[in-house]
Amino acid sequence: MAPKPASLRALLDITSTTLTLLTHFQSSLSPASTTDASIPPPPNPLQALKACTALLKSHTTTLSLLLLTPPLTPSAIITKIGDVSSGPLTGLVGAAVAEGGLGGLMQGEVKVQVRRLLGAWGEVVGCVARLAEKRKKLEESDGAAKAKGKDVGLTEGERQDVLAATGVVWEACDALVKLCDGGIAGLVVRKAEEWRSVLLDAVEELKEWGEDVDEEDDEAEGSDGEFGDEDEMFGAANKLGKGDKELKEVLDKGVKKLKMVGVLYQALIKRRLKTFPGSAPAGAANGEAQKDPMATLEELMKLMKSIPEQVDDLASAFYDLDEDEAKTMLDKCCGEAKSAASLVKQSWTGTDDEFTAWSTKWEDALNAP
């Protein structure tokens, strides 16, 4: 006797189970979650992620075709959903939560991308559940035999829902593949360029704020009456005046030094981030073991991220006309920039190179009064 075909009830059960599993997976990938030391990372985590992503995209395409082509076939759909849960989804989450192999920054980005992909896949499963529920109600009202004759496929709205959900999965898959193709170096370069842009925008704002002094003071001298205009009346507390010469000198000095920090970011991106090896070297030229490049990279990225944030505090000190705080924050920003340069003064293999010599000259220029 041939096996009884899978029922719509069984299909609804697996969609419910899968959605519960996705919720669990997404929780394990939340920012508050930690890496799982019990899960060993695959030999090449990024290649494993790419392979799982390609498989998931393929399964999603097949499932979409099954949903769009009548009649609805519970057995084939159940098999496809089960294959996805036990295969690519488990592989993706395992690679994302395994301890080691990717570094903190890359692993954090992978978790974000995988969570997005899980959410997109959940929408596809949701489409399956809605279609199965609709079909089940039709059978309950008309009987299975009569309902079979009415199975003419999806409405236009349902077709669009399936296509849209499938498209979101494809986009999420493509984004994850792009992240993997770029590798750790690609990610850190992109992050560093974003932080450099934020830094230079803040410097430009400070520069423009300082350049407004003379013009605004001249206008103030020519104003009549007890009160000036609204901007003058309410903005005077955080605008430089001609009497704030010492603070203006600190500002000019700060703008100059912060522009040099921006130049350092360019050099770090070109000479260190783009050349990141992705794995620990066997040793330096003198045969001594070197510090793990991944740990050094993580420390460098923390410094590069923190400097633009501190420039915001520096700007606040200037806007508050707090000279002492401005000097303190400027020293802190410059100190962290020097720490970043010093951290990777030598190449990833522990040898001197063009950046080594350049960074020494750069620091001397930054230290100049």
Side-chain angles (χ1 to χ4, degrees), residues 89-119:
L89 285 190
T90 301
L92 284 169
V93 175
V97 302
E99 184 178 41
L102 291 176
L105 187 65
M106 187 66 171
Q107 187 166 43
E109 191 71 16
V110 165
K111 284 184 175 182
V112 169
Q113 297 277 12
V114 173
R115 271 177 61 87
R116 179 191 172 200
L117 187 47
L118 294 180

PDB file of all heavy atoms in Angstrom, residues 89-119:
ATOM      1  N   LEU A  89      19.946  26.519   7.667  1.00  0.00           N
ATOM      2  CA  LEU A  89      19.653  27.367   8.834  1.00  0.00           C
ATOM      3  C   LEU A  89      20.527  26.985  10.016  1.00  0.00           C
ATOM      4  O   LEU A  89      21.119  27.843  10.676  1.00  0.00           O
ATOM      5  CB  LEU A  89      18.177  27.258   9.224  1.00  0.00           C
ATOM      6  CG  LEU A  89      17.154  27.973   8.347  1.00  0.00           C
ATOM      7  CD1 LEU A  89      15.795  27.962   9.017  1.00  0.00           C
ATOM      8  CD2 LEU A  89      17.581  29.402   8.056  1.00  0.00           C
ATOM      9  N   THR A  90      20.616  25.694  10.287  1.00  0.00           N
ATOM     10  CA  THR A  90      21.451  25.231  11.395  1.00  0.00           C
ATOM     11  C   THR A  90      22.915  25.584  11.151  1.00  0.00           C
ATOM     12  O   THR A  90      23.635  25.998  12.072  1.00  0.00           O
ATOM     13  CB  THR A  90      21.300  23.707  11.576  1.00  0.00           C
ATOM     14  OG1 THR A  90      19.925  23.388  11.834  1.00  0.00           O
ATOM     15  CG2 THR A  90      22.148  23.210  12.733  1.00  0.00           C
ATOM     16  N   GLY A  91      23.352  25.429   9.907  1.00  0.00           N
ATOM     17  CA  GLY A  91      24.740  25.770   9.570  1.00  0.00           C
ATOM     18  C   GLY A  91      25.044  27.240   9.736  1.00  0.00           C
ATOM     19  O   GLY A  91      26.096  27.621  10.259  1.00  0.00           O
ATOM     20  N   LEU A  92      24.116  28.085   9.299  1.00  0.00           N
ATOM     21  CA  LEU A  92      24.300  29.538   9.420  1.00  0.00           C
ATOM     22  C   LEU A  92      24.413  29.954  10.881  1.00  0.00           C
ATOM     23  O   LEU A  92      25.317  30.702  11.265  1.00  0.00           O
ATOM     24  CB  LEU A  92      23.134  30.271   8.768  1.00  0.00           C
ATOM     25  CG  LEU A  92      23.107  30.342   7.246  1.00  0.00           C
ATOM     26  CD1 LEU A  92      21.766  30.867   6.758  1.00  0.00           C
ATOM     27  CD2 LEU A  92      24.235  31.228   6.726  1.00  0.00           C
ATOM     28  N   VAL A  93      23.486  29.486  11.685  1.00  0.00           N
ATOM     29  CA  VAL A  93      23.484  29.873  13.096  1.00  0.00           C
ATOM     30  C   VAL A  93      24.706  29.312  13.803  1.00  0.00           C
ATOM     31  O   VAL A  93      25.346  29.996  14.617  1.00  0.00           O
ATOM     32  CB  VAL A  93      22.185  29.403  13.782  1.00  0.00           C
ATOM     33  CG1 VAL A  93      22.232  29.695  15.279  1.00  0.00           C
ATOM     34  CG2 VAL A  93      20.973  30.081  13.144  1.00  0.00           C
ATOM     35  N   GLY A  94      25.063  28.073  13.482  1.00  0.00           N
ATOM     36  CA  GLY A  94      26.237  27.467  14.115  1.00  0.00           C
ATOM     37  C   GLY A  94      27.504  28.251  13.833  1.00  0.00           C
ATOM     38  O   GLY A  94      28.314  28.508  14.732  1.00  0.00           O
ATOM     39  N   ALA A  95      27.690  28.658  12.572  1.00  0.00           N
ATOM     40  CA  ALA A  95      28.883  29.435  12.213  1.00  0.00           C
ATOM     41  C   ALA A  95      28.868  30.811  12.856  1.00  0.00           C
ATOM     42  O   ALA A  95      29.916  31.360  13.206  1.00  0.00           O
ATOM     43  CB  ALA A  95      28.974  29.564  10.695  1.00  0.00           C
ATOM     44  N   ALA A  96      27.675  31.379  13.025  1.00  0.00           N
ATOM     45  CA  ALA A  96      27.565  32.730  13.580  1.00  0.00           C
ATOM     46  C   ALA A  96      27.812  32.780  15.077  1.00  0.00           C
ATOM     47  O   ALA A  96      28.316  33.781  15.590  1.00  0.00           O
ATOM     48  CB  ALA A  96      26.185  33.316  13.265  1.00  0.00           C
ATOM     49  N   VAL A  97      27.456  31.720  15.798  1.00  0.00           N
ATOM     50  CA  VAL A  97      27.580  31.755  17.262  1.00  0.00           C
ATOM     51  C   VAL A  97      28.817  31.035  17.780  1.00  0.00           C
ATOM     52  O   VAL A  97      29.132  31.118  18.965  1.00  0.00           O
ATOM     53  CB  VAL A  97      26.323  31.158  17.944  1.00  0.00           C
ATOM     54  CG1 VAL A  97      25.075  31.914  17.533  1.00  0.00           C
ATOM     55  CG2 VAL A  97      26.179  29.669  17.648  1.00  0.00           C
ATOM     56  N   ALA A  98      29.540  30.327  16.908  1.00  0.00           N
ATOM     57  CA  ALA A  98      30.730  29.611  17.351  1.00  0.00           C
ATOM     58  C   ALA A  98      31.789  30.596  17.832  1.00  0.00           C
ATOM     59  O   ALA A  98      31.951  31.690  17.289  1.00  0.00           O
ATOM     60  CB  ALA A  98      31.285  28.760  16.210  1.00  0.00           C
ATOM     61  N   GLU A  99      32.497  30.209  18.863  1.00  0.00           N
ATOM     62  CA  GLU A  99      33.527  31.085  19.442  1.00  0.00           C
ATOM     63  C   GLU A  99      34.802  31.019  18.614  1.00  0.00           C
ATOM     64  O   GLU A  99      35.289  29.944  18.295  1.00  0.00           O
ATOM     65  CB  GLU A  99      33.824  30.679  20.884  1.00  0.00           C
ATOM     66  CG  GLU A  99      34.813  31.600  21.586  1.00  0.00           C
ATOM     67  CD  GLU A  99      35.046  31.196  23.024  1.00  0.00           C
ATOM     68  OE1 GLU A  99      35.156  29.994  23.285  1.00  0.00           O
ATOM     69  OE2 GLU A  99      35.121  32.085  23.882  1.00  0.00           O
ATOM     70  N   GLY A 100      35.340  32.194  18.295  1.00  0.00           N
ATOM     71  CA  GLY A 100      36.590  32.250  17.552  1.00  0.00           C
ATOM     72  C   GLY A 100      36.383  32.125  16.063  1.00  0.00           C
ATOM     73  O   GLY A 100      35.308  31.785  15.581  1.00  0.00           O
ATOM     74  N   GLY A 101      37.428  32.438  15.335  1.00  0.00           N
ATOM     75  CA  GLY A 101      37.395  32.251  13.893  1.00  0.00           C
ATOM     76  C   GLY A 101      37.078  33.498  13.099  1.00  0.00           C
ATOM     77  O   GLY A 101      37.571  33.662  11.994  1.00  0.00           O
ATOM     78  N   LEU A 102      36.251  34.386  13.639  1.00  0.00           N
ATOM     79  CA  LEU A 102      35.847  35.569  12.878  1.00  0.00           C
ATOM     80  C   LEU A 102      36.290  36.882  13.514  1.00  0.00           C
ATOM     81  O   LEU A 102      36.371  37.899  12.838  1.00  0.00           O
ATOM     82  CB  LEU A 102      34.318  35.587  12.723  1.00  0.00           C
ATOM     83  CG  LEU A 102      33.697  34.521  11.823  1.00  0.00           C
ATOM     84  CD1 LEU A 102      32.179  34.630  11.863  1.00  0.00           C
ATOM     85  CD2 LEU A 102      34.191  34.675  10.400  1.00  0.00           C
ATOM     86  N   GLY A 103      36.566  36.871  14.808  1.00  0.00           N
ATOM     87  CA  GLY A 103      36.852  38.130  15.495  1.00  0.00           C
ATOM     88  C   GLY A 103      35.548  38.804  15.898  1.00  0.00           C
ATOM     89  O   GLY A 103      34.505  38.585  15.270  1.00  0.00           O
ATOM     90  N   GLY A 104      35.604  39.613  16.932  1.00  0.00           N
ATOM     91  CA  GLY A 104      34.394  40.218  17.477  1.00  0.00           C
ATOM     92  C   GLY A 104      33.622  41.082  16.504  1.00  0.00           C
ATOM     93  O   GLY A 104      32.395  40.990  16.410  1.00  0.00           O
ATOM     94  N   LEU A 105      34.327  41.947  15.764  1.00  0.00           N
ATOM     95  CA  LEU A 105      33.650  42.869  14.862  1.00  0.00           C
ATOM     96  C   LEU A 105      32.947  42.123  13.730  1.00  0.00           C
ATOM     97  O   LEU A 105      31.770  42.371  13.437  1.00  0.00           O
ATOM     98  CB  LEU A 105      34.654  43.865  14.282  1.00  0.00           C
ATOM     99  CG  LEU A 105      34.064  45.008  13.453  1.00  0.00           C
ATOM    100  CD1 LEU A 105      33.210  45.909  14.335  1.00  0.00           C
ATOM    101  CD2 LEU A 105      35.167  45.822  12.800  1.00  0.00           C
ATOM    102  N   MET A 106      33.653  41.195  13.105  1.00  0.00           N
ATOM    103  CA  MET A 106      33.070  40.434  11.998  1.00  0.00           C
ATOM    104  C   MET A 106      31.938  39.549  12.497  1.00  0.00           C
ATOM    105  O   MET A 106      30.893  39.440  11.853  1.00  0.00           O
ATOM    106  CB  MET A 106      34.147  39.582  11.323  1.00  0.00           C
ATOM    107  CG  MET A 106      33.668  38.881  10.051  1.00  0.00           C
ATOM    108  SD  MET A 106      33.269  40.085   8.758  1.00  0.00           S
ATOM    109  CE  MET A 106      33.017  39.010   7.354  1.00  0.00           C
ATOM    110  N   GLN A 107      32.138  38.925  13.636  1.00  0.00           N
ATOM    111  CA  GLN A 107      31.098  38.044  14.151  1.00  0.00           C
ATOM    112  C   GLN A 107      29.825  38.824  14.481  1.00  0.00           C
ATOM    113  O   GLN A 107      28.710  38.359  14.219  1.00  0.00           O
ATOM    114  CB  GLN A 107      31.582  37.307  15.399  1.00  0.00           C
ATOM    115  CG  GLN A 107      30.586  36.247  15.886  1.00  0.00           C
ATOM    116  CD  GLN A 107      31.175  35.305  16.898  1.00  0.00           C
ATOM    117  OE1 GLN A 107      31.883  35.727  17.809  1.00  0.00           O
ATOM    118  NE2 GLN A 107      30.908  34.021  16.751  1.00  0.00           N
ATOM    119  N   GLY A 108      30.000  40.034  15.021  1.00  0.00           N
ATOM    120  CA  GLY A 108      28.840  40.869  15.298  1.00  0.00           C
ATOM    121  C   GLY A 108      28.076  41.208  14.029  1.00  0.00           C
ATOM    122  O   GLY A 108      26.839  41.178  14.008  1.00  0.00           O
ATOM    123  N   GLU A 109      28.809  41.519  12.957  1.00  0.00           N
ATOM    124  CA  GLU A 109      28.156  41.855  11.685  1.00  0.00           C
ATOM    125  C   GLU A 109      27.482  40.623  11.088  1.00  0.00           C
ATOM    126  O   GLU A 109      26.381  40.719  10.527  1.00  0.00           O
ATOM    127  CB  GLU A 109      29.193  42.411  10.716  1.00  0.00           C
ATOM    128  CG  GLU A 109      28.613  43.039   9.463  1.00  0.00           C
ATOM    129  CD  GLU A 109      27.902  44.351   9.715  1.00  0.00           C
ATOM    130  OE1 GLU A 109      28.106  44.934  10.792  1.00  0.00           O
ATOM    131  OE2 GLU A 109      27.132  44.785   8.828  1.00  0.00           O
ATOM    132  N   VAL A 110      28.134  39.471  11.203  1.00  0.00           N
ATOM    133  CA  VAL A 110      27.536  38.231  10.694  1.00  0.00           C
ATOM    134  C   VAL A 110      26.233  37.935  11.428  1.00  0.00           C
ATOM    135  O   VAL A 110      25.230  37.544  10.812  1.00  0.00           O
ATOM    136  CB  VAL A 110      28.518  37.054  10.849  1.00  0.00           C
ATOM    137  CG1 VAL A 110      27.798  35.717  10.687  1.00  0.00           C
ATOM    138  CG2 VAL A 110      29.645  37.162   9.827  1.00  0.00           C
ATOM    139  N   LYS A 111      26.240  38.115  12.734  1.00  0.00           N
ATOM    140  CA  LYS A 111      25.019  37.857  13.510  1.00  0.00           C
ATOM    141  C   LYS A 111      23.865  38.747  13.043  1.00  0.00           C
ATOM    142  O   LYS A 111      22.726  38.294  12.915  1.00  0.00           O
ATOM    143  CB  LYS A 111      25.276  38.085  15.002  1.00  0.00           C
ATOM    144  CG  LYS A 111      26.054  36.971  15.679  1.00  0.00           C
ATOM    145  CD  LYS A 111      26.168  37.231  17.176  1.00  0.00           C
ATOM    146  CE  LYS A 111      26.834  36.083  17.897  1.00  0.00           C
ATOM    147  NZ  LYS A 111      26.899  36.304  19.364  1.00  0.00           N
ATOM    148  N   VAL A 112      24.170  40.010  12.792  1.00  0.00           N
ATOM    149  CA  VAL A 112      23.142  40.935  12.312  1.00  0.00           C
ATOM    150  C   VAL A 112      22.572  40.453  10.979  1.00  0.00           C
ATOM    151  O   VAL A 112      21.354  40.432  10.770  1.00  0.00           O
ATOM    152  CB  VAL A 112      23.720  42.363  12.162  1.00  0.00           C
ATOM    153  CG1 VAL A 112      22.734  43.270  11.419  1.00  0.00           C
ATOM    154  CG2 VAL A 112      24.029  42.949  13.533  1.00  0.00           C
ATOM    155  N   GLN A 113      23.465  40.062  10.076  1.00  0.00           N
ATOM    156  CA  GLN A 113      23.031  39.630   8.744  1.00  0.00           C
ATOM    157  C   GLN A 113      22.251  38.319   8.809  1.00  0.00           C
ATOM    158  O   GLN A 113      21.249  38.140   8.093  1.00  0.00           O
ATOM    159  CB  GLN A 113      24.248  39.463   7.827  1.00  0.00           C
ATOM    160  CG  GLN A 113      25.032  40.730   7.573  1.00  0.00           C
ATOM    161  CD  GLN A 113      24.407  41.573   6.467  1.00  0.00           C
ATOM    162  OE1 GLN A 113      23.297  41.342   6.032  1.00  0.00           O
ATOM    163  NE2 GLN A 113      25.138  42.578   6.031  1.00  0.00           N
ATOM    164  N   VAL A 114      22.699  37.383   9.645  1.00  0.00           N
ATOM    165  CA  VAL A 114      22.003  36.101   9.755  1.00  0.00           C
ATOM    166  C   VAL A 114      20.637  36.289  10.397  1.00  0.00           C
ATOM    167  O   VAL A 114      19.653  35.660   9.993  1.00  0.00           O
ATOM    168  CB  VAL A 114      22.851  35.074  10.533  1.00  0.00           C
ATOM    169  CG1 VAL A 114      22.054  33.790  10.800  1.00  0.00           C
ATOM    170  CG2 VAL A 114      24.125  34.727   9.757  1.00  0.00           C
ATOM    171  N   ARG A 115      20.555  37.163  11.397  1.00  0.00           N
ATOM    172  CA  ARG A 115      19.245  37.465  12.011  1.00  0.00           C
ATOM    173  C   ARG A 115      18.283  38.023  10.967  1.00  0.00           C
ATOM    174  O   ARG A 115      17.098  37.661  10.936  1.00  0.00           O
ATOM    175  CB  ARG A 115      19.417  38.494  13.144  1.00  0.00           C
ATOM    176  CG  ARG A 115      19.707  37.872  14.498  1.00  0.00           C
ATOM    177  CD  ARG A 115      19.943  38.949  15.554  1.00  0.00           C
ATOM    178  NE  ARG A 115      18.776  39.786  15.713  1.00  0.00           N
ATOM    179  CZ  ARG A 115      17.751  39.519  16.529  1.00  0.00           C
ATOM    180  NH1 ARG A 115      17.762  38.415  17.263  1.00  0.00           N
ATOM    181  NH2 ARG A 115      16.731  40.352  16.639  1.00  0.00           N
ATOM    182  N   ARG A 116      18.777  38.892  10.129  1.00  0.00           N
ATOM    183  CA  ARG A 116      17.934  39.444   9.062  1.00  0.00           C
ATOM    184  C   ARG A 116      17.462  38.341   8.124  1.00  0.00           C
ATOM    185  O   ARG A 116      16.298  38.311   7.702  1.00  0.00           O
ATOM    186  CB  ARG A 116      18.727  40.499   8.288  1.00  0.00           C
ATOM    187  CG  ARG A 116      17.936  41.123   7.135  1.00  0.00           C
ATOM    188  CD  ARG A 116      18.832  41.957   6.238  1.00  0.00           C
ATOM    189  NE  ARG A 116      18.116  42.384   5.045  1.00  0.00           N
ATOM    190  CZ  ARG A 116      18.695  42.789   3.928  1.00  0.00           C
ATOM    191  NH1 ARG A 116      20.007  42.841   3.853  1.00  0.00           N
ATOM    192  NH2 ARG A 116      17.977  43.154   2.882  1.00  0.00           N
ATOM    193  N   LEU A 117      18.369  37.418   7.796  1.00  0.00           N
ATOM    194  CA  LEU A 117      18.027  36.324   6.900  1.00  0.00           C
ATOM    195  C   LEU A 117      16.991  35.395   7.538  1.00  0.00           C
ATOM    196  O   LEU A 117      16.050  34.938   6.862  1.00  0.00           O
ATOM    197  CB  LEU A 117      19.290  35.553   6.545  1.00  0.00           C
ATOM    198  CG  LEU A 117      19.194  34.451   5.482  1.00  0.00           C
ATOM    199  CD1 LEU A 117      18.430  34.935   4.261  1.00  0.00           C
ATOM    200  CD2 LEU A 117      20.579  33.970   5.103  1.00  0.00           C
ATOM    201  N   LEU A 118      17.137  35.139   8.820  1.00  0.00           N
ATOM    202  CA  LEU A 118      16.165  34.308   9.519  1.00  0.00           C
ATOM    203  C   LEU A 118      14.782  34.965   9.517  1.00  0.00           C
ATOM    204  O   LEU A 118      13.761  34.292   9.335  1.00  0.00           O
ATOM    205  CB  LEU A 118      16.614  34.061  10.962  1.00  0.00           C
ATOM    206  CG  LEU A 118      17.878  33.232  11.167  1.00  0.00           C
ATOM    207  CD1 LEU A 118      18.169  33.088  12.651  1.00  0.00           C
ATOM    208  CD2 LEU A 118      17.757  31.861  10.519  1.00  0.00           C
ATOM    209  N   GLY A 119      14.767  36.281   9.724  1.00  0.00           N
ATOM    210  CA  GLY A 119      13.499  36.990   9.700  1.00  0.00           C
ATOM    211  C   GLY A 119      12.841  36.915   8.333  1.00  0.00           C
ATOM    212  O   GLY A 119      11.620  36.738   8.216  1.00  0.00           O
TER     213      GLY A 119
END
